[in-house]
Amino acid sequence: MSMAYKDDEEDWLTVCLKYLLFLFNFLFWVGGAAVLAVGVWTLVEKSDYLSLLASSTFAVSAYILILAGSLVVVTGFLGCCAVIREQRSCLSTYFFFLLLIFLIELVAGVLAYVYYQRLSDELKEHLNQTMTENYAQQGKETITSAVDRLQQDFKCCGSNNSQDWMLSVYIRSEQSGNRVVPDSCCKTITPDCGRRDHPSNIYKVEGGCITKLEQFLADHLLVIGAVGIGVACLQICGMVFTCCLHRRIKMDPY
């Protein structure tokens, strides 16, 4: 009688573990979709700004999340198959992929956090130089487009203030057409509007574009780090459930 009760208890625990693993897989897929979406959003929505950064860490973090999110789709399917078939080999493979994705997302989260800590110094050191030396120069069309979009999107002018443009290679050349700032500094863009730098005509923002871009990138890095580490923590539960189910399933003869 006691043996039959013990077998029933074991069967009940196995069924519970299977349902818990199915639930985890659903949450895992949702988390994977979030990871993939954040990575794609970061690279596509504001990809212009990446050309203004001296370091590629921001982009690398996003690429890592895209890789991890893509692996989640495959791994989630594998997890469902492993639970349905109740094969230890499938569960072992599933656990390996969970561990791999866990490490990938953890790396992305750590990279985002580390870059977040030194973001301000990098922008202050490189952004002004990038804008003044490369704007409207031959072969630097990507940077020119990024600067124009930056100033229009964030309603700012110059890295620190509009006076930064006085040292610009573009403004000091005949190509500028007597402009004192690029036309993208203007509140309402019209041909040659950059010839007049009165506050009524151009954006005068305290802290300049550095402050605006720093806040924007910091917010994105926090999202990347939070999503990456959050989903990684969720996977710990999945690995625990997988190990428990693996131990309760009899050795697969194949």
Side-chain angles (χ1 to χ4, degrees):
M1 191 73 174
S2 60
M3 287 296 294
Y5 175 78
K6 185 176 180 181
D7 289 340
D8 289 342
E9 183 181 19
E10 289 181 352
D11 290 340
W12 180 81
L13 288 173
T14 301
V15 170
C16 282
L17 283 172
K18 288 174 66 176
Y19 278 113
L20 283 173
L21 207 48
F22 270 122
L23 176 61
F24 165 77
N25 265 311
F26 172 74
L27 296 176
F28 189 43
W29 264 323
V30 172
V35 167
L36 187 60
V38 168
V40 172
W41 170 61
T42 300
L43 291 178
V44 174
E45 182 66 17
K46 302 296 183 182
S47 59
D48 287 350
Y49 300 149
L50 299 180
S51 62
L52 300 177
L53 304 178
S55 170
S56 60
T57 308
F58 184 80
V60 168
S61 297
Y63 279 120
I64 290 175
L65 287 185
I66 291 175
L67 172 63
S70 301
L71 285 175
V72 164
V73 176
V74 178
T75 304
F77 176 75
L78 176 64
C80 288
C81 292
V83 174
I84 293 172
R85 299 182 66 180
E86 295 188 8
Q87 289 185 330
R88 290 167 66 99
S89 58
C90 286
L91 286 172
S92 297
T93 305
Y94 178 58
F95 179 86
F96 170 77
F97 275 104
L98 282 181
L99 182 60
L100 177 63
I101 297 171
F102 170 80
L103 294 175
I104 289 174
E105 289 174 340
L106 205 58
V107 167
V110 170
L111 277 177
Y113 178 77
V114 170
Y115 188 59
Y116 175 81
Q117 298 299 311
R118 58 188 183 88
L119 175 62
S120 179
D121 291 337
E122 179 182 311
L123 288 177
K124 289 175 182 177
E125 183 177 348
H126 296 286
L127 184 60
N128 184 48
Q129 181 180 357
T130 300
M131 293 173 70
T132 56
E133 292 184 3
N134 298 300
Y135 184 83
Q137 301 305 299
Q138 187 174 2
K140 302 293 183 179
E141 290 78 10
T142 301
I143 292 179
T144 302
S145 175
V147 171
D148 286 338
R149 184 176 178 184
L150 173 69
Q151 295 190 139
Q152 281 295 299
D153 284 355
F154 295 127
K155 304 183 187 309
C156 58
C157 183
S159 57
N160 295 291
N161 54 62
S162 61
Q163 296 300 311
D164 292 337
W165 284 112
M166 299 303 295
L167 301 176
S168 166
V169 174
Y170 165 68
I171 295 299
R172 298 170 69 178
S173 68
E174 294 181 0
Q175 181 186 359
S176 67
N178 295 321
R179 291 179 179 85
V180 290
V181 293
D183 289 345
S184 57
C185 280
C186 299
K187 295 178 180 178
T188 302
I189 296 181
T190 56
D192 299 329
C193 64
R195 292 179 178 178
R196 181 169 166 265
D197 62 353
H198 191 273
S200 64
N201 184 49
I202 68 170
Y203 295 113
K204 296 271 191 178
V205 179
E206 185 176 351
C209 292
I210 282 183
T211 303
K212 296 285 188 176
L213 183 58
E214 180 183 349
Q215 185 60 53
F216 168 80
L217 293 176
D219 291 343
H220 269 60
L221 287 170
L222 286 176
V223 171
I224 290 175
V227 170
I229 293 176
V231 175
C233 291
L234 175 65
Q235 287 173 236
I236 294 176
C237 298
M239 287 187 282
V240 171
F241 293 149
T242 303
C243 286
C244 292
L245 186 59
H246 185 275
R247 293 183 61 184
R248 302 196 69 81
I249 293 177
K250 294 181 181 180
M251 182 66 71
D252 187 352
Y254 300 102

